Amino acid sequence: LDLLAGLQAILKQWGCKVTAVGSLGEVFQHWHKDTPPDIVIADYHLDNDETGTDLLNTLQLTWNTSFPALVI
C-alpha cells in the first residue's frame, strides 16, 4: 500500500471527504468546486517534478486565499 492510498484510507475511516491526487494537474481534474479545500495534506515530492509547496502556492493563488496545509 503506498503512502497516498494509506493516508486516504485512514482519513476516510475518520469520516473525512478525501480527494487524492499525485500532481497539480490532477487537482484541477478532480476538484470541481468554487471553494478551496478545508485542508491540504501534500507530500513534498509529487509527480512531474512538482513539490507540495508548488501545489500549495498554486492553490492559494487560484482561490486567492490561504487555508490550513501540511507538507509531508
Side-chain angles (χ1 to χ4, degrees):
L1 193 63
D2 67 0
L3 177 64
L4 181 63
L7 187 55
Q8 181 179 8
I10 290 170
L11 292 171
K12 283 185 174 185
Q13 284 179 347
W14 292 344
C16 300
K17 295 179 185 174
V18 178
T19 301
V21 298
S23 70
L24 183 57
E26 290 181 33
V27 169
F28 296 109
Q29 292 174 358
H30 297 283
W31 189 265
H32 303 289
K33 299 179 182 174
D34 293 332
T35 57
D38 293 327
I39 187 170
V40 173
I41 301 173
D43 193 335
Y44 181 79
H45 298 283
L46 302 176
D47 296 342
N48 306 322
D49 292 323
E50 298 169 343
T51 67
T53 53
D54 295 336
L55 176 115
L56 293 174
N57 289 333
T58 301
L59 294 180
Q60 289 176 345
L61 289 172
T62 298
W63 281 291
N64 196 29
T65 190
S66 60
F67 42 81
L70 171 66
V71 177
I72 300 172

